[in-house]
Amino acid sequence: MNLSLTLPEIGQRAKRAARSLYAADSELKNRALAQAASSLLAQSEAILAANQLDLAAGREVGLTSALLDRLALTPERLSGIAQGMLDVAALPDPVGALLDETVRPNGLKIVKRAVPIGVIGVIFEARPNVSADSAALCLKSGNASILRGGKEAIRSNQAIVTAIRSGIEEAGLPADCVQLITDTSRQTATEFMHLDAYVDLLIPRGGPGLIQAVKREATVPVIETGAGTCHIYVAPSCDPEMAVSIINNAKTSRPSVCNAVECILVHSACAPDILPLVAAKLKEKNVELRADKRALMLLRDAVPATEEDWGKEYDDYILAIRIVDSTDEAIEYIRTYSTHHSEAILTRDEAEAHHFMESIDSAALYWNASTRFTDGGEFGMGAEIGISTQKLHARGPLGVKQLCSEKYYIYGSGQIR
Amino acid sequence: MNLSLTLPEIGQRAKRAARSLYAADSELKNRALAQAASSLLAQSEAILAANQLDLAAGREVGLTSALLDRLALTPERLSGIAQGMLDVAALPDPVGALLDETVRPNGLKIVKRAVPIGVIGVIFEARPNVSADSAALCLKSGNASILRGGKEAIRSNQAIVTAIRSGIEEAGLPADCVQLITDTSRQTATEFMHLDAYVDLLIPRGGPGLIQAVKREATVPVIETGAGTCHIYVAPSCDPEMAVSIINNAKTSRPSVCNAVECILVHSACAPDILPLVAAKLKEKNVELRADKRALMLLRDAVPATEEDWGKEYDDYILAIRIVDSTDEAIEYIRTYSTHHSEAILTRDEAEAHHFMESIDSAALYWNASTRFTDGGEFGMGAEIGISTQKLHARGPLGVKQLCSEKYYIYGSGQIR
């Protein structure tokens, strides 16, 4: 990797590489992914050594142990990352898929097919696995990628991207299919967000601060990802055992992710029966319950919720609880406080479920299942580069299909208008 | 219409109206469109009077006759606008369309359906018909619209939107499904571009200056439309008669629109035969030819092209002409200078056509047909709100289907992860 390139130079190289990828067939792309995965393993010593330097620097500046854990690579994690690249290679190629076809009365045949987007920029924070995941998903969908990770992981990312690039090159594609911005200054990040001339799409992967900054600053089109304040509404006719199981799973199976539930709305008619059961189960994992006034009366160990708790994304072992008197009240609440990621209704009443699912405009609406399923793998897309919570282009998990654009091919025989 | 609303108030009203539209069935939406069309005709006297005031003000500030013509409404134009609304009503309802369906191994049924985007902002320039067209397309696709037209047409737009709103209300939907921003100051336009809290998508319809300003300023997601520097490549094996007919059509049938051709690339092997025929035909319409050095030698009446002519969108009776020595040279030129709207190849050679169409990443690639067909109506979509030249969400004509987002419905029986 040439570390002294300017951003426009990186952009030009990406654009050139994107042309090779645009023309590459599935076999060539898959070979590049396989070679990149082997190269990651072959260079594991260098990658782990670089990661040790990042960890040492992180300890020096006082990163929390949670952050240090996210940053840390082990031989096992590294083979997980390499396996992830092979899994992406094994996905069906999204490029060239027939999206629409029509013959017009004048004889023009109009065919719409999926094509790569071109150059995709990814801005992410501490976890070094994101660089390999993102590179693999972009490459599979025929896109060149420009990665910009956080400074905490810079040495690890450099080592990973160096390995991936050499694998890609061995397979016969330009190394510049994947590039890393090694200057982690804020100024360079801002310049990156304005690189319209070369970058077709920018995906921020990280916390709300990062996402808002990108959205505010970027002139490159952005897909927002990952803001997840998910809700579960417990209706009177729910199956109580199922309710406890789903709420427990949605809250405690992995509280740090965006599809975890943050707030449950419980109908007043079933709250006295359901809430104590839920509380007992969540107590096993020491989940803090923040309850509204009416729920407080039913819960021994809850603390009073404040205004800030409504709509809050905890990403932690904390759950907000609120009593409602109707499905419509639950709907209205979710419309107001949700980030439009994933919401669930637990009920035996089909008409009620239908009304709930039709009325709320979030990416994913669940009936009697955990919100934790909003995930590329669980949806059968293979890996994902994030969960879109915006309404343009794609909503929900962004897999390789969603990393494609479209193009019209029009076949004529001299037609004029 | 309450003219003293602030932008956030307009946004809140749009959001509320969007909820009614989200739940509206096809029949209700179609009735609203039909009522709006009748209302336009019933109020034609007021609309034409308002338009006369706009025209008088326009003459006073010295608008060109071309601009005054765009601005002018006549009874015929007005019934054309009303008919356009009825045509939109007659289109299939895009909302609810099944986009994908899968049952996962764990029994979860995942269904993806088209849903409205929500609130769509449209910023446009002089032509008052744009307000009615945009309102109709948004309403048909279940979206509330906030329109912001140019100050030249403000009285006409107010009269048109007032009529549409009363029609919508008579049909039983909120009048706020369509709102007009009556303050045409630049400051208000800028504020509009930052109305993320209420607006889900912003579509600029107008010249490159407007589109670039919106792209630079907006934090609301934008779809760029309408920049059209289209090319036709004439290959040695083309049918000369077809070439003359297509080039003439693509240049002169309506030079002011974005799908008109601006530059032809002619292979040196056929240029001596083809160019004089093309020039003779275009002379009938007094098209100015701006030719590179080699083409100049073959053309009596052409003027020398300068560097500014390459990539230029004339929107006028002007055509740039350039000689190339290979298909790949044509491809490379188009990659550099095109706005990625529409390009055509004229050839009898299928392999050459395939190579050209695969290698260039524009929204529409034509083989032996005029670029003028890139249009919602011609593509069979009915009306369109613009031609997208960006790669996210939708490319090419934006019809009612493209004004939709998507949503996942997940049906479970207690699944946890």
Side-chain angles (χ1 to χ4, degrees), chain A residues 186-205:
Chain A
R186 194 171 281 255
Q187 189 194 335
T188 300
T190 304
E191 197 189 331
F192 187 29
M193 297 177 207
H194 290 270
L195 213 60
D196 312 41
Y198 308 106
V199 183
D200 298 295
L201 166 63
L202 202 55
I203 302 178
R205 296 184 65 175

PDB file of all heavy atoms in Angstrom, chain A residues 186-205:
ATOM      1  N   ARG A 186      -9.519  13.865  11.398  1.00  0.00           N
ATOM      2  CA  ARG A 186     -10.897  14.263  11.168  1.00  0.00           C
ATOM      3  C   ARG A 186     -11.033  15.008   9.833  1.00  0.00           C
ATOM      4  O   ARG A 186     -12.010  14.859   9.097  1.00  0.00           O
ATOM      5  CB  ARG A 186     -11.326  15.180  12.318  1.00  0.00           C
ATOM      6  CG  ARG A 186     -12.807  15.419  12.418  1.00  0.00           C
ATOM      7  CD  ARG A 186     -13.109  16.154  13.697  1.00  0.00           C
ATOM      8  NE  ARG A 186     -13.102  15.237  14.831  1.00  0.00           N
ATOM      9  CZ  ARG A 186     -14.228  14.823  15.432  1.00  0.00           C
ATOM     10  NH1 ARG A 186     -15.392  15.243  15.001  1.00  0.00           N
ATOM     11  NH2 ARG A 186     -14.175  13.990  16.453  1.00  0.00           N
ATOM     12  N   GLN A 187     -10.009  15.805   9.527  1.00  0.00           N
ATOM     13  CA  GLN A 187     -10.023  16.589   8.293  1.00  0.00           C
ATOM     14  C   GLN A 187     -10.095  15.676   7.065  1.00  0.00           C
ATOM     15  O   GLN A 187     -10.833  15.933   6.113  1.00  0.00           O
ATOM     16  CB  GLN A 187      -8.755  17.436   8.267  1.00  0.00           C
ATOM     17  CG  GLN A 187      -8.719  18.460   7.156  1.00  0.00           C
ATOM     18  CD  GLN A 187      -7.302  19.017   6.995  1.00  0.00           C
ATOM     19  OE1 GLN A 187      -6.503  19.003   7.937  1.00  0.00           O
ATOM     20  NE2 GLN A 187      -6.991  19.484   5.792  1.00  0.00           N
ATOM     21  N   THR A 188      -9.321  14.596   7.109  1.00  0.00           N
ATOM     22  CA  THR A 188      -9.344  13.653   5.988  1.00  0.00           C
ATOM     23  C   THR A 188     -10.693  12.954   5.902  1.00  0.00           C
ATOM     24  O   THR A 188     -11.212  12.714   4.810  1.00  0.00           O
ATOM     25  CB  THR A 188      -8.203  12.631   6.157  1.00  0.00           C
ATOM     26  OG1 THR A 188      -6.985  13.355   6.180  1.00  0.00           O
ATOM     27  CG2 THR A 188      -8.175  11.643   5.012  1.00  0.00           C
ATOM     28  N   ALA A 189     -11.279  12.643   7.057  1.00  0.00           N
ATOM     29  CA  ALA A 189     -12.606  12.020   7.043  1.00  0.00           C
ATOM     30  C   ALA A 189     -13.606  12.950   6.362  1.00  0.00           C
ATOM     31  O   ALA A 189     -14.423  12.519   5.538  1.00  0.00           O
ATOM     32  CB  ALA A 189     -13.047  11.706   8.470  1.00  0.00           C
ATOM     33  N   THR A 190     -13.530  14.233   6.697  1.00  0.00           N
ATOM     34  CA  THR A 190     -14.440  15.205   6.090  1.00  0.00           C
ATOM     35  C   THR A 190     -14.221  15.291   4.585  1.00  0.00           C
ATOM     36  O   THR A 190     -15.168  15.294   3.796  1.00  0.00           O
ATOM     37  CB  THR A 190     -14.229  16.593   6.736  1.00  0.00           C
ATOM     38  OG1 THR A 190     -14.419  16.448   8.141  1.00  0.00           O
ATOM     39  CG2 THR A 190     -15.221  17.606   6.202  1.00  0.00           C
ATOM     40  N   GLU A 191     -12.950  15.321   4.193  1.00  0.00           N
ATOM     41  CA  GLU A 191     -12.650  15.371   2.754  1.00  0.00           C
ATOM     42  C   GLU A 191     -13.211  14.123   2.044  1.00  0.00           C
ATOM     43  O   GLU A 191     -13.764  14.201   0.943  1.00  0.00           O
ATOM     44  CB  GLU A 191     -11.128  15.464   2.566  1.00  0.00           C
ATOM     45  CG  GLU A 191     -10.707  15.928   1.188  1.00  0.00           C
ATOM     46  CD  GLU A 191      -9.192  15.795   0.971  1.00  0.00           C
ATOM     47  OE1 GLU A 191      -8.410  15.881   1.952  1.00  0.00           O
ATOM     48  OE2 GLU A 191      -8.799  15.570  -0.183  1.00  0.00           O
ATOM     49  N   PHE A 192     -13.108  12.997   2.706  1.00  0.00           N
ATOM     50  CA  PHE A 192     -13.629  11.724   2.166  1.00  0.00           C
ATOM     51  C   PHE A 192     -15.138  11.833   1.903  1.00  0.00           C
ATOM     52  O   PHE A 192     -15.651  11.370   0.890  1.00  0.00           O
ATOM     53  CB  PHE A 192     -13.327  10.631   3.191  1.00  0.00           C
ATOM     54  CG  PHE A 192     -13.638   9.217   2.759  1.00  0.00           C
ATOM     55  CD1 PHE A 192     -13.581   8.824   1.426  1.00  0.00           C
ATOM     56  CD2 PHE A 192     -13.954   8.248   3.711  1.00  0.00           C
ATOM     57  CE1 PHE A 192     -13.850   7.517   1.050  1.00  0.00           C
ATOM     58  CE2 PHE A 192     -14.224   6.937   3.350  1.00  0.00           C
ATOM     59  CZ  PHE A 192     -14.176   6.579   2.009  1.00  0.00           C
ATOM     60  N   MET A 193     -15.838  12.488   2.818  1.00  0.00           N
ATOM     61  CA  MET A 193     -17.293  12.610   2.685  1.00  0.00           C
ATOM     62  C   MET A 193     -17.707  13.510   1.518  1.00  0.00           C
ATOM     63  O   MET A 193     -18.871  13.564   1.151  1.00  0.00           O
ATOM     64  CB  MET A 193     -17.897  13.155   3.987  1.00  0.00           C
ATOM     65  CG  MET A 193     -17.684  12.241   5.185  1.00  0.00           C
ATOM     66  SD  MET A 193     -18.360  13.004   6.693  1.00  0.00           S
ATOM     67  CE  MET A 193     -17.340  12.235   7.960  1.00  0.00           C
ATOM     68  N   HIS A 194     -16.708  14.219   0.968  1.00  0.00           N
ATOM     69  CA  HIS A 194     -17.001  15.117  -0.153  1.00  0.00           C
ATOM     70  C   HIS A 194     -16.407  14.600  -1.459  1.00  0.00           C
ATOM     71  O   HIS A 194     -16.313  15.352  -2.428  1.00  0.00           O
ATOM     72  CB  HIS A 194     -16.467  16.514   0.141  1.00  0.00           C
ATOM     73  CG  HIS A 194     -17.239  17.218   1.216  1.00  0.00           C
ATOM     74  ND1 HIS A 194     -18.328  18.002   0.940  1.00  0.00           N
ATOM     75  CD2 HIS A 194     -17.123  17.202   2.566  1.00  0.00           C
ATOM     76  CE1 HIS A 194     -18.827  18.469   2.074  1.00  0.00           C
ATOM     77  NE2 HIS A 194     -18.111  17.986   3.077  1.00  0.00           N
ATOM     78  N   LEU A 195     -16.026  13.342  -1.484  1.00  0.00           N
ATOM     79  CA  LEU A 195     -15.317  12.803  -2.643  1.00  0.00           C
ATOM     80  C   LEU A 195     -16.304  12.288  -3.708  1.00  0.00           C
ATOM     81  O   LEU A 195     -16.115  11.224  -4.295  1.00  0.00           O
ATOM     82  CB  LEU A 195     -14.375  11.673  -2.166  1.00  0.00           C
ATOM     83  CG  LEU A 195     -13.055  11.477  -2.892  1.00  0.00           C
ATOM     84  CD1 LEU A 195     -12.191  12.734  -2.821  1.00  0.00           C
ATOM     85  CD2 LEU A 195     -12.292  10.290  -2.314  1.00  0.00           C
ATOM     86  N   ASP A 196     -17.327  13.074  -3.965  1.00  0.00           N
ATOM     87  CA  ASP A 196     -18.373  12.688  -4.936  1.00  0.00           C
ATOM     88  C   ASP A 196     -17.816  12.257  -6.278  1.00  0.00           C
ATOM     89  O   ASP A 196     -18.419  11.448  -6.976  1.00  0.00           O
ATOM     90  CB  ASP A 196     -19.280  13.858  -5.326  1.00  0.00           C
ATOM     91  CG  ASP A 196     -19.793  14.652  -4.189  1.00  0.00           C
ATOM     92  OD1 ASP A 196     -19.029  14.920  -3.253  1.00  0.00           O
ATOM     93  OD2 ASP A 196     -20.966  15.014  -4.263  1.00  0.00           O
ATOM     94  N   ALA A 197     -16.720  12.891  -6.674  1.00  0.00           N
ATOM     95  CA  ALA A 197     -16.214  12.633  -8.016  1.00  0.00           C
ATOM     96  C   ALA A 197     -15.836  11.162  -8.182  1.00  0.00           C
ATOM     97  O   ALA A 197     -15.826  10.644  -9.293  1.00  0.00           O
ATOM     98  CB  ALA A 197     -15.005  13.523  -8.298  1.00  0.00           C
ATOM     99  N   TYR A 198     -15.530  10.505  -7.085  1.00  0.00           N
ATOM    100  CA  TYR A 198     -15.055   9.119  -7.181  1.00  0.00           C
ATOM    101  C   TYR A 198     -15.879   8.121  -6.393  1.00  0.00           C
ATOM    102  O   TYR A 198     -15.816   6.929  -6.664  1.00  0.00           O
ATOM    103  CB  TYR A 198     -13.592   9.038  -6.714  1.00  0.00           C
ATOM    104  CG  TYR A 198     -12.703  10.035  -7.402  1.00  0.00           C
ATOM    105  CD1 TYR A 198     -12.239  11.160  -6.739  1.00  0.00           C
ATOM    106  CD2 TYR A 198     -12.369   9.866  -8.746  1.00  0.00           C
ATOM    107  CE1 TYR A 198     -11.449  12.095  -7.392  1.00  0.00           C
ATOM    108  CE2 TYR A 198     -11.582  10.789  -9.407  1.00  0.00           C
ATOM    109  CZ  TYR A 198     -11.122  11.905  -8.719  1.00  0.00           C
ATOM    110  OH  TYR A 198     -10.358  12.825  -9.375  1.00  0.00           O
ATOM    111  N   VAL A 199     -16.594   8.575  -5.390  1.00  0.00           N
ATOM    112  CA  VAL A 199     -17.280   7.636  -4.494  1.00  0.00           C
ATOM    113  C   VAL A 199     -18.788   7.701  -4.744  1.00  0.00           C
ATOM    114  O   VAL A 199     -19.380   8.774  -4.761  1.00  0.00           O
ATOM    115  CB  VAL A 199     -16.959   7.956  -3.015  1.00  0.00           C
ATOM    116  CG1 VAL A 199     -17.613   6.940  -2.091  1.00  0.00           C
ATOM    117  CG2 VAL A 199     -15.457   7.973  -2.792  1.00  0.00           C
ATOM    118  N   ASP A 200     -19.398   6.539  -4.974  1.00  0.00           N
ATOM    119  CA  ASP A 200     -20.821   6.494  -5.313  1.00  0.00           C
ATOM    120  C   ASP A 200     -21.718   6.327  -4.102  1.00  0.00           C
ATOM    121  O   ASP A 200     -22.908   6.630  -4.149  1.00  0.00           O
ATOM    122  CB  ASP A 200     -21.083   5.340  -6.283  1.00  0.00           C
ATOM    123  CG  ASP A 200     -20.332   5.529  -7.590  1.00  0.00           C
ATOM    124  OD1 ASP A 200     -20.656   6.492  -8.299  1.00  0.00           O
ATOM    125  OD2 ASP A 200     -19.412   4.744  -7.877  1.00  0.00           O
ATOM    126  N   LEU A 201     -21.174   5.808  -3.025  1.00  0.00           N
ATOM    127  CA  LEU A 201     -21.986   5.519  -1.841  1.00  0.00           C
ATOM    128  C   LEU A 201     -21.086   5.491  -0.620  1.00  0.00           C
ATOM    129  O   LEU A 201     -19.972   4.959  -0.680  1.00  0.00           O
ATOM    130  CB  LEU A 201     -22.658   4.144  -2.003  1.00  0.00           C
ATOM    131  CG  LEU A 201     -23.273   3.518  -0.734  1.00  0.00           C
ATOM    132  CD1 LEU A 201     -24.398   4.385  -0.202  1.00  0.00           C
ATOM    133  CD2 LEU A 201     -23.790   2.108  -1.039  1.00  0.00           C
ATOM    134  N   LEU A 202     -21.564   6.053   0.472  1.00  0.00           N
ATOM    135  CA  LEU A 202     -20.820   6.058   1.718  1.00  0.00           C
ATOM    136  C   LEU A 202     -21.663   5.359   2.773  1.00  0.00           C
ATOM    137  O   LEU A 202     -22.838   5.694   2.957  1.00  0.00           O
ATOM    138  CB  LEU A 202     -20.565   7.511   2.124  1.00  0.00           C
ATOM    139  CG  LEU A 202     -19.417   7.817   3.069  1.00  0.00           C
ATOM    140  CD1 LEU A 202     -18.098   7.278   2.539  1.00  0.00           C
ATOM    141  CD2 LEU A 202     -19.309   9.330   3.246  1.00  0.00           C
ATOM    142  N   ILE A 203     -21.070   4.379   3.446  1.00  0.00           N
ATOM    143  CA  ILE A 203     -21.783   3.681   4.509  1.00  0.00           C
ATOM    144  C   ILE A 203     -21.044   3.885   5.821  1.00  0.00           C
ATOM    145  O   ILE A 203     -19.917   3.437   5.978  1.00  0.00           O
ATOM    146  CB  ILE A 203     -21.891   2.165   4.205  1.00  0.00           C
ATOM    147  CG1 ILE A 203     -22.596   1.939   2.865  1.00  0.00           C
ATOM    148  CG2 ILE A 203     -22.629   1.439   5.329  1.00  0.00           C
ATOM    149  CD1 ILE A 203     -22.693   0.477   2.464  1.00  0.00           C
ATOM    150  N   PRO A 204     -21.653   4.588   6.764  1.00  0.00           N
ATOM    151  CA  PRO A 204     -21.036   4.708   8.082  1.00  0.00           C
ATOM    152  C   PRO A 204     -21.440   3.511   8.934  1.00  0.00           C
ATOM    153  O   PRO A 204     -22.620   3.157   8.994  1.00  0.00           O
ATOM    154  CB  PRO A 204     -21.643   6.003   8.632  1.00  0.00           C
ATOM    155  CG  PRO A 204     -22.937   6.193   7.905  1.00  0.00           C
ATOM    156  CD  PRO A 204     -22.895   5.377   6.636  1.00  0.00           C
ATOM    157  N   ARG A 205     -20.474   2.862   9.555  1.00  0.00           N
ATOM    158  CA  ARG A 205     -20.778   1.760  10.459  1.00  0.00           C
ATOM    159  C   ARG A 205     -20.250   2.132  11.834  1.00  0.00           C
ATOM    160  O   ARG A 205     -19.039   2.120  12.064  1.00  0.00           O
ATOM    161  CB  ARG A 205     -20.086   0.466   9.990  1.00  0.00           C
ATOM    162  CG  ARG A 205     -20.590  -0.012   8.662  1.00  0.00           C
ATOM    163  CD  ARG A 205     -19.959  -1.333   8.268  1.00  0.00           C
ATOM    164  NE  ARG A 205     -20.340  -2.405   9.178  1.00  0.00           N
ATOM    165  CZ  ARG A 205     -19.990  -3.683   8.991  1.00  0.00           C
ATOM    166  NH1 ARG A 205     -19.240  -4.031   7.968  1.00  0.00           N
ATOM    167  NH2 ARG A 205     -20.368  -4.605   9.840  1.00  0.00           N
TER     168      ARG A 205
END
